[in-house]
Each structure stands twice: as structure tokens, then as C-alpha cells.
DNA sequence: CGGCATCCTCTTTGATACTG
DNA sequence: CAGTATCAAAGAGGATGCCG
């Protein structure tokens, strides 16, 4: 993209990461850690392969990403964030916080990936009984399942499945999120098409209310 | 711009404000308050008029901006941020904080406006003697002067001139900022082309050191 | 397969001119 | 003042080819 040529911090930041797709590439590297080219492709549905190559070259040149050549037999390149790249996390946090308002309605054609659950889930949940027994919640959208695990160490969300979860939420991603956030009651969620199996009461232990959520967000938690 | 069609908070945010120029329009409305069309044009050097019109229409449609028709004899339209628009401030703060790293070198062709001083100045300065006598510092780049005023009420930066400032810094914007931040000493600044007139010692009262700056930034100050 | 480069089409931008 | 109209150039999107 052409520079804005504004001597202004915001404009300079956008000169570096304001191109289409660029911040989503950073999102992938932040939420997935170091990625191969194909990992990025599958985490960025819709991107053209030449664009991904272009953006990665520009990000490397800008000192935001560095590439680690992994020698055979693995034979791949790993893309990492530099320190300057890691410093973009607050930008993603701010954008993600602001973007929560659009998550209530999901378009039919929207793509989804397991690791995209991490950000909103960490905003919506908080363990009200951290010394209670550890629990796991299986999130099952059509594909791309994820697991929420709460223990003394806090709440973690990761892609994948767990053997016998304490609770499972199966259905479209936006219903899963609406139920976790408390925007939908369990009754409403079931009526709209979510399947809840197991200890539904767990939601009361983990749901953070709206006021707390905005506070946590204000301090960048 | 076409939607990314990702069911992800960051992608949804970028669907709304990720278009080229959009966040800079928000920047203007945040730092200037309600603006007329021509105020925006002059605060956004380089934008094409049709693009500004397009973006404003989209922002209004998205509920981020609203237009107030001001009846004759003033005969103008005022563009305001809605509450959702104001909520974008943390995004600009995060981008602006990250973008500080690019402010040390200024390109010859970079444009500048007085009110762009506000954001970096508030990051660089802190009154170490808030109960001391109120002081004013005149910032004088080629055009677009601004004034820093420190009093019991805090530090404010505004476009314009003041009668007899306690200190004046005249020279290119990047030297003014480098000197305020402490990245350049007064001696270095003078050697590089900045003209300092008045009570140079004021800088010691107002400069925030690097460690403090990063802390203030971490909590979103 | 992983990591691009090329080619082509379509959309968006940027520059300028013009209007109520 | 507050835009709309026009048009050339740049960039995005999609398909496919190539090479270790």
C-alpha cells in the first residue's frame, strides 16, 4: 500500500500493518504461534496465495515477522513474530474487544476455525471457583472443535477434543459464544438450536458478567 | 471492502474499519471533535474527495458516525462519532502507541497538522511538579503551531499560538518530538537544527522517562 | 506436499474536474 | 461548502503452473 505520508503515530502504524489481510496474518501468528505457510493459508480462509506471499515478504522486510528455515527431513519454513510483532498484541486486543459487538449475528457464509474461540472465550469467562474441581467443556461447532479447561491455573481454551467433558455445547459458533457470554440463557440457546449435554450449571461458575468484562478489558486483561 | 467472512472479532472489526483511510477519519474525529467535511479534508492530506464521501457514508451506515445538519446561516454538516465510534479510542491508542517507533525518522514528503501533536505529546510528557507555576511551551514547526500548557489541571496540548511562552521549540516536527521525549538532548537537538528559545530547564519538569512511558502505556494511560 | 510465481479479470484507489 | 462524475493506474481475487 502507498504510505499515507502523515507524520502521525497512527498513520505510521497503518503504513506498516494497515494493508488488507495483514492484521489477520498477525492474528494467526499470535493465536497459533509460529506457523508454516500452509498453516497460515488454512487459518486465513479466503486469502489468495500470492497475497499471503506478498504480505509475508513485506512483514519480514518491516521487521515484524522472521522466517526460520527448518531443514529436511521436516523441510518447511516457520514464520515467527519478532518482538515488534509481539508488540502488536494490544492492537489485536483492542480491535477484538471492539469487534465483539458484531459476533451476535453470524452470516451463513462465515468461515470458522477452532483457535478463533480463544480470544472471545477469555473475554467472556472467569472462574468464580478457582479452587473447585478442574472441569472441561467441549465446544463442538460443525468442524473445528475446541476445549475449555478450567483449573487452579486458570482457564485455557485449545483446539481439539477431550475424552469425557463435563459439558458439551454443540451447534453453530455464534450460539456457543452467545451462551458462554450469557447473552442467551440455556433455555433460549436450546430453543435456537444449541445442544447442551452434561453439567449445564458449570456455566454459572465460569460466566463473567458484563460489568466485569468491560473492566477486565479496560486494563488490558 | 469485501468482508473477510471470518467469524472472529478481529476480522469483524476490520470489516467495519479496516478500509484504507477509515481509521484516520476516526482519528480526526477523535482528536478534533465534530468536524465539517472540509475540516476532515484538511486533516487528511492526500485523501481523494470521493473516497472521503464514500467512507463517511459507510461509517454512517455502520453506526460509527452520524451527521448533524447545521441550518443556515452556518449552512454546514457536522460529522460526529456515535458511542460505537468513541469506543474505537482504545484501538487508536494501541495503534498510536505501537506507531511511536516510526516517529524518529521523518520522510521529507510527510505532511503534518498541529492536532497530531496531542497523542505523542501526552505519551511523552508528565508534570513532575503539578503544583508549580503554570507554564506554556510553544511548538513551532513550519506551519501548524501548537501549544502545550501545564497547570494544576494537567497537561493540555492544543493547536495555535500563545502570547509569551516560557519556552519555544521551532523546527521540523520530528525534532520537536524527539526533544520532548528525551530521545535527543537539548544539545543534540540544537546541533540537528532545532531552535530552543526560553527556559529550556522546563523540559526536565515535563519529560517522562522511558520506563514510566511504557508503564503508562501498558495501562492505557 | 510446501512455497511460492504467473496470468488474467475485476474492483478499488487516486487525481482531477465539475456542480448545486 | 459539500460533495458527484470521470478515468487511468494500482491492487485484490481466483486459477493454475512450477520446482525442490
Amino acid at each position: 500500500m502507498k504510505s499515507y505520508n502523515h507524520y502521525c503515530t497512527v498513520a505510521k502504524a497503518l503504513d506498516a500493518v494497515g494493508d488488507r489481510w495483514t492484521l489477520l496474518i498477525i492474528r494467526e501468528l499470535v493465536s497459533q504461534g509460529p506457523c508454516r505457510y500452509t498453516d497460515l493459508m488454512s487459518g486465513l480462509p479466503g486469502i489468495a496465495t500470492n497475497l499471503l506471499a506478498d504480505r509475508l515478504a513485506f512483514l519480514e522486510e518491516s521487521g515484524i515477522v522472521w522466517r526460520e528455515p527448518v531443514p529436511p527431513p521436516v523441510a518447511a519454513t516457520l514464520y515467527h513474530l519478532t518482538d515488534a510483532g509481539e508488540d502488536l498484541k494490544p492492537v489485536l486486543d483492542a480491535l477484538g474487544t471492539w469487534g465483539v459487538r458484531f459476533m451476535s449475528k453470524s452470516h451463513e457464509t462465515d468461515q470458522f476455525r477452532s483457535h478463533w474461540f480463544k480470544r472471545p472465550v477469555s473475554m467472556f469467562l472467569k472462574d468464580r471457583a478457582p479452587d473447585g474441581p478442574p472441569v472441561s467443556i467441549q465446544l463442538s461447532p460443525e468442524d473445528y472443535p475446541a476445549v475449555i479447561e478450567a483449573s487452579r491455573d486458570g482457564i485455557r481454551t485449545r483446539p481439539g477434543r477431550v475424552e469425557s467433558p463435563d459439558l458439551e455445547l454443540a451447534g453453530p459458533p455464534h450460539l456457543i459464544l452467545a451462551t458462554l457470554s450469557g447473552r442467551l440463557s440455556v433455555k433460549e440457546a436450546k430453543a435456537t438450536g444449541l445442544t447442551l449435554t452434561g453439567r449445564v450449571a458449570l456455566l454459572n461458575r465460569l460466566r463473567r458478567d458484563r460489568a466485569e468484562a468491560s473492566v477486565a478489558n479496560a486494563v488490558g486483561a
Side-chain angles (χ1 to χ4, degrees), chain A:
Chain A
M1 194 189 326
K2 237 177 63 182
S3 167
Y4 290 107
N5 289 318
H6 288 193
Y7 185 67
C8 155
T9 54
V10 177
K12 291 298 176 193
L14 291 174
D15 281 348
V17 298
D19 271 334
R20 185 157 166 78
W21 289 107
T22 300
L23 279 170
L24 295 187
I25 295 172
I26 313 282
R27 172 196 73 189
E28 289 301 306
L29 291 171
V30 164
S31 62
Q32 301 227 61
C35 288
R36 292 171 304 168
Y37 190 86
T38 40
D39 298 332
L40 290 170
M41 281 300 281
S42 58
L44 294 163
I47 197 173
T49 176
N50 55 351
L51 263 191
L52 178 56
D54 284 357
R55 295 292 183 266
L56 286 172
F58 182 71
L59 285 171
E60 188 185 10
E61 182 186 343
S62 308
I64 294 167
V65 156
W66 63 279
R67 63 182 75 200
E68 175 195 9
V70 180
V74 193
T77 309
L78 270 184
Y79 293 89
H80 300 252
L81 289 174
T82 63
D83 289 346
E86 300 279 354
D87 287 346
L88 281 165
K89 281 181 185 177
V91 173
L92 293 180
D93 286 341
L95 276 170
T97 299
W98 189 76
V100 167
R101 71 193 68 213
F102 300 109
M103 299 299 276
S104 50
K105 49 187 171 215
S106 167
H107 206 265
E108 262 310 303
T109 65
D110 272 0
Q111 298 288 317
F112 181 75
R113 296 294 181 269
S114 304
H115 59 278
W116 297 351
F117 268 134
K118 293 177 81 168
R119 187 175 297 275
V121 164
S122 74
M123 288 185 54
F124 291 153
L125 299 189
K126 169 187 169 180
D127 198 345
R128 300 174 173 285
D131 295 325
V135 293
S136 61
I137 301 180
Q138 179 71 53
L139 307 182
S140 304
E142 197 77 349
D143 310 306
Y144 305 107
V147 184
I148 302 172
E149 288 163 319
S151 70
R152 277 147 308 274
D153 302 330
I155 301 181
R156 285 189 39 93
T157 307
R158 57 168 181 82
R161 298 206 158 272
V162 71
E163 194 64 30
S164 36
D166 299 283
L167 172 64
E168 176 168 16
L169 282 69
H174 74 275
L175 289 185
I176 294 178
L177 277 190
T179 307
L180 290 176
S181 75
R183 199 171 50 75
L184 286 187
S185 68
V186 168
K187 191 168 283 186
E188 290 167 328
K190 281 184 169 170
T192 333
L194 194 73
T195 306
L196 292 96
T197 315
R199 297 173 47 209
V200 170
L202 271 185
L203 292 175
N204 294 325
R205 169 173 163 187
L206 294 177
R207 268 175 181 163
R208 184 204 303 254
D209 66 40
R210 242 201 146 80
E212 281 181 308
S214 63
V215 167
N217 148 10
V219 296

